[in-house]
Amino acid sequence: MSNPRIHFTISFTEPQTHYVEIEMDISDFTGTTLDFGMPVWTPGSYLIREYERHVELVEAFATADRIHCMKISKNTWRVQSPSNHIKIRYRVYGFEISVRTNMINVDRAFLSPAATFMYIKNHIDLPCTLAIILPEKWHHISTGLPKTATHEHIFYAENFDTLYDSPIEIGNQDIWHFEAAGVPHEFAMVGGGNYDKQQLTSDITKIVEEETAIWGENPNTNYVFITHNYQTGGGGLEHLNSTVLGASRNAYQVPNAYKNFLCLVAHEYFHLWNVKRLRPKELGPFNYDEENYTTGLWIMEGFTSYYDNLIIRRCGFFSVQEYLDMLVNDFNQVYNRPGYRVQSAALASFDAWIKHYRPDENSANTSISYYNKGAMLAVALDLYILAETQGTKRLDDVLRAAYHSFYKKENRGFEEKEFQALAETVTGVDLSAIFKAAHSTEELDYNMYFNRVGYELIDLNRDRQELSLGIKIANQDGRIVIKNVERGSAAWDAGLNVDDELIAINGNRLDIAGKELELILQNGQIDEIIDVLISRDGLIRTIHTPLRRSTRQQWSIREKPDATPTEKNIGEIWLSVSY
């Protein structure tokens, strides 16, 4: 088959029903059989989402005549025609609030391209154009795709990888423009909110310029922030020259919430370089029909999770203590999940497709987040490099060199051992212990790194004697129900289960607030055996379980009292402010 030309027409005849109509016009088609399909996932969100489930009424035409169109797999259709001009028409339902899925209503439409546009199988590299027909009361289109010269509502994608990485917001969003790091930026606010445009522009400009300084260049000619404001919202997804953010519309004037939003901006913008350009070899070119496995998400997402808060500190939005409190959250998140003894950061990366986006009642016992654990490993790398080079090198230098080597010079993804080797060459530091730890459940002694820069990591609960059964409970329709049982806890060993209803302890009926349970834990003795009356699937039984010391950890990062002047100096370099 020669290279056909592809043009999409997007229209909304009934947006109130949450549908978008797509016409895929294929010209210069010289084959007799054409297979076309819908991606089953979207880059940056590592889960098979089965976008094809929202596709309906697929029809095919050769010139003006309808031709047979047959579905041959869950996300693939086939047409056979001698014509060199074929049109495919279909509808897509979209009514899900997230940064990864379509949302269409009477006021607006957000289109996640992977959930919207089909492609010709084995021809992901073909360019295409998109014409968007606006409903009468809609006036704006926000996307990172460039406009064609022929019409302001017609856009161009050089290939389908670019198309699938360019979300589209259509409606009456509040739009303003600014320049940062020499690049034009657009901000598109959806859903209203109490944001201050001038403040946002000033603060985000600092973030953009700080991150550009780390990487040595800004690779964009334009960039678009699309922010969806809801009563309660959050999350984000990175794209090639844009991002989609979720926020709470009335939280911009709440200091902590506003700083958290800036952290989200810093995180997604950092991905411009880290994952969108500098990436493991498995993350591009993509196979949109199945999982694309990598063990490297601890670098892509973990390093980005380390830098998002650090950027906010460097911009002067966080005090030192505020930053340290944000950083230590990663340690608390990991160490209060027994799964850290079961799953390494690399395995968490590989298993993202089946675990990270599909948590259940036992997830805390079996898994960790590559975001949190990756950030812990990143801070270890940064501090160790700083200490070993007396503050002359740091993780910034590694990332900048990797970007220019693997992306700019060789235009390819990296193997993890290549990344490690480059890091060690750039810094002159043996980093093997930290990279090895990413593939192991054996924990690093993180104080070996914090102490070198004048800080220490302390478990505030280390000497406390609180008792615990190792369960989490919830009030469910007037009943106290177990929602989680911690691995290795008293409840785990005794056989208490998720969904057991707690009725009484030692003959005392439990009230809905669980105060009797709290009283027993406060006044009991370690290894004391208590009788727990439960209802399991409607059957009453008594479980005999011991009381044990709580394993919950509460970590804090503090200045080391006996830090040397050299250690303090390196610590100041680590936490320095650029503005």
Side-chain angles (χ1 to χ4, degrees):
M1 183 175 67
S2 63
N3 288 340
R5 292 182 294 112
I6 302 174
H7 177 73
F8 290 98
T9 302
I10 301 103
S11 58
F12 305 88
T13 59
E14 298 178 301
Q16 76 280 4
T17 65
H18 318 300
Y19 279 94
V20 57
E21 291 80 33
I22 307 293
E23 181 174 278
M24 183 180 186
D25 196 311
I26 305 169
S27 303
D28 299 334
F29 171 67
T30 58
T32 58
T33 301
L34 181 147
D35 290 347
F36 56 98
M38 180 76 79
V40 300
W41 69 285
T42 190
S45 183
Y46 307 102
L47 175 70
I48 299 299
R49 295 187 180 274
E50 307 293 19
Y51 289 128
E52 74 281 353
R53 76 190 191 278
H54 291 309
V55 175
E56 59 184 64
L57 298 177
V58 180
E59 301 175 300
F61 300 84
T63 312
D65 299 324
R66 185 191 300 269
I67 57 176
H68 181 62
C69 179
M70 178 174 62
K71 192 171 187 180
I72 62 172
S73 75
K74 67 178 183 180
N75 68 321
T76 307
W77 291 258
R78 173 173 292 168
V79 297
Q80 293 181 334
S81 171
S83 173
N84 67 352
H85 187 187
I86 295 174
K87 287 187 178 181
I88 309 296
R89 294 174 183 165
Y90 59 96
R91 306 177 82 208
V92 178
Y93 178 80
F95 193 56
E96 182 177 349
I97 295 175
S98 88
V99 295
R100 318 166 185 90
T101 52
N102 290 340
M103 180 64 188
I104 305 159
N105 59 39
V106 69
D107 299 314
R108 54 173 281 259
F110 171 69
L111 300 183
S112 173
T116 308
F117 301 109
M118 296 188 183
Y119 68 100
I120 300 175
K121 290 299 183 78
N122 301 317
H123 288 274
I124 205 78
D125 58 335
L126 291 177
C128 66
T129 53
L130 294 76
I132 300 175
I133 301 174
L134 293 177
E136 182 181 356
K137 295 183 179 180
W138 297 8
H139 303 292
H140 301 310
I141 302 170
S142 296
T143 180
L145 291 171
K147 298 176 182 178
T148 65
T150 56
H151 196 283
E152 67 172 340
H153 293 166
I154 300 179
F155 301 85
Y156 172 78
E158 61 182 355
N159 53 52
F160 276 74
D161 284 316
T162 300
L163 174 63
Y164 292 147
D165 219 4
S166 303
I168 305 169
E169 181 68 36
I170 310 166
N172 296 304
Q173 57 270 27
D174 184 15
I175 296 174
W176 71 93
H177 298 86
F178 61 97
E179 185 172 297
V183 176
H185 287 69
E186 174 183 317
F187 219 96
M189 278 289 197
V190 182
N194 61 354
Y195 50 87
D196 181 323
K197 293 182 186 181
Q198 184 175 357
Q199 186 68 53
L200 271 174
T201 299
S202 174
D203 293 344
I204 292 175
T205 295
K206 290 182 180 180
I207 292 170
V208 169
E209 293 181 346
E210 178 62 31
E211 294 189 0
T212 300
I214 291 172
W215 293 93
E217 68 170 19
N218 196 304
N220 289 318
T221 56
N222 68 291
Y223 190 90
V224 180
F225 292 97
I226 299 171
T227 302
H228 296 156
N229 292 304
Y230 296 102
Q231 185 174 13
T232 302
L237 187 61
E238 71 276 3
H239 296 282
L240 193 64
N241 67 337
S242 63
T243 186
V244 185
L245 309 172
S248 300
R249 66 171 60 93
N250 293 317
Y252 290 96
Q253 301 304 316
V254 179
N256 287 341
Y258 180 66
K259 290 177 183 179
N260 286 337
F261 178 73
L262 292 181
C263 287
L264 177 62
V265 170
H267 183 102
E268 303 305 339
Y269 203 87
F270 200 82
H271 275 313
L272 273 185
W273 299 272
N274 200 39
V275 86
K276 284 301 161 189
R277 290 166 175 86
L278 175 65
R279 58 176 177 77
K281 65 180 181 61
E282 300 89 355
L283 295 185
F286 293 121
N287 180 343
Y288 293 98
D289 289 338
E290 61 185 39
E291 296 89 343
N292 292 228
Y293 293 102
T294 177
T295 58
L297 294 180
W298 71 273
I299 298 176
M300 298 297 97
E301 291 293 355
F303 283 27
T304 304
S305 294
Y306 169 60
Y307 270 96
D308 53 18
N309 295 324
L310 187 61
I311 295 298
I312 300 307
R313 166 58 192 160
R314 290 185 186 179
C315 289
F317 304 134
F318 277 153
S319 67
V320 168
Q321 192 57 54
E322 285 176 320
Y323 168 68
L324 295 176
D325 289 344
M326 294 295 289
L327 175 60
V328 84
N329 281 338
D330 292 309
F331 290 84
N332 284 319
Q333 288 290 326
V334 170
Y335 287 147
N336 284 301
R337 291 177 69 94
Y340 82 88
R341 298 186 179 93
V342 176
Q343 188 182 55
S344 68
L347 184 57
S349 302
F350 194 84
D351 281 346
W353 297 92
I354 59 173
K355 290 195 174 187
H356 182 72
Y357 292 97
R358 289 175 172 163
D360 60 30
E361 70 282 351
N362 198 42
S363 291
N365 292 321
T366 63
S367 64
I368 57 170
S369 167
Y370 46 81
Y371 287 84
N372 303 129
K373 190 58 180 290
M376 292 165 60
L377 293 164
V379 70
L381 285 167
D382 199 16
L383 300 186
Y384 192 51
I385 294 168
L386 278 164
E388 287 292 296
T389 64
Q390 295 298 298
T392 62
K393 298 285 185 181
R394 62 181 311 171
L395 192 54
D396 295 28
D397 300 282
V398 173
L399 293 179
R400 183 164 52 250
Y403 170 77
H404 283 275
S405 177
F406 298 120
Y407 172 69
K408 293 285 290 183
K409 183 179 178 181
E410 301 182 40
N411 192 28
R412 66 176 178 87
F414 61 80
E415 299 271 3
E416 187 176 315
K417 287 190 178 298
E418 291 180 303
F419 186 91
Q420 178 185 338
L422 180 142
E424 292 177 341
T425 299
V426 168
T427 62
V429 179
D430 180 359
L431 303 172
S432 58
I434 301 173
F435 277 89
K436 181 181 178 181
H439 294 263
S440 171
T441 55
E442 295 294 322
E443 283 299 294
L444 292 170
D445 177 4
Y446 284 94
N447 266 323
M448 186 175 76
Y449 306 103
F450 280 108
N451 290 172
R452 296 283 299 276
V453 299
Y455 287 87
E456 59 184 355
L457 185 67
I458 301 172
D459 180 10
L460 301 179
N461 285 351
R462 181 177 54 192
D463 298 322
R464 294 181 181 175
Q465 299 297 315
E466 284 90 350
L467 300 179
S468 172
L469 290 176
I471 60 175
K472 292 182 180 178
I473 60 175
N475 183 339
Q476 188 172 300
D477 299 325
R479 300 176 300 135
I480 301 174
V481 177
I482 297 175
K483 307 306 292 184
N484 172 262
V485 179
E486 181 181 323
R487 181 188 294 271
S489 66
W492 176 279
D493 291 341
L496 285 171
N497 293 347
V498 168
D499 291 333
D500 285 349
E501 177 190 356
L502 300 182
I503 300 174
I505 295 180
N506 290 343
N508 295 308
R509 174 82 182 186
L510 298 181
D511 72 333
I512 297 303
K515 292 181 180 179
E516 282 81 2
L517 177 57
E518 291 180 8
L519 188 63
I520 287 171
L521 293 177
Q522 289 171 0
N523 294 283
Q525 301 296 319
I526 291 179
D527 295 329
E528 175 187 347
I529 303 298
I530 62 173
D531 297 330
V532 183
L533 185 67
I534 66 167
S535 172
R536 179 178 296 169
D537 191 31
L539 301 177
I540 304 298
R541 66 177 65 188
T542 298
I543 304 292
H544 307 290
T545 179
L547 296 178
R548 291 181 184 164
R549 182 175 176 271
S550 173
T551 60
R552 181 152 189 86
Q553 302 175 46
Q554 184 182 349
W555 293 92
S556 177
I557 301 172
R558 298 178 175 179
E559 291 184 7
K560 189 160 68 87
D562 58 348
T564 67
T566 297
E567 290 169 346
K568 290 181 179 179
N569 181 61
I570 297 174
E572 289 175 0
I573 295 173
W574 172 41
L575 299 177
S576 61
V577 174
S578 302
Y579 292 87

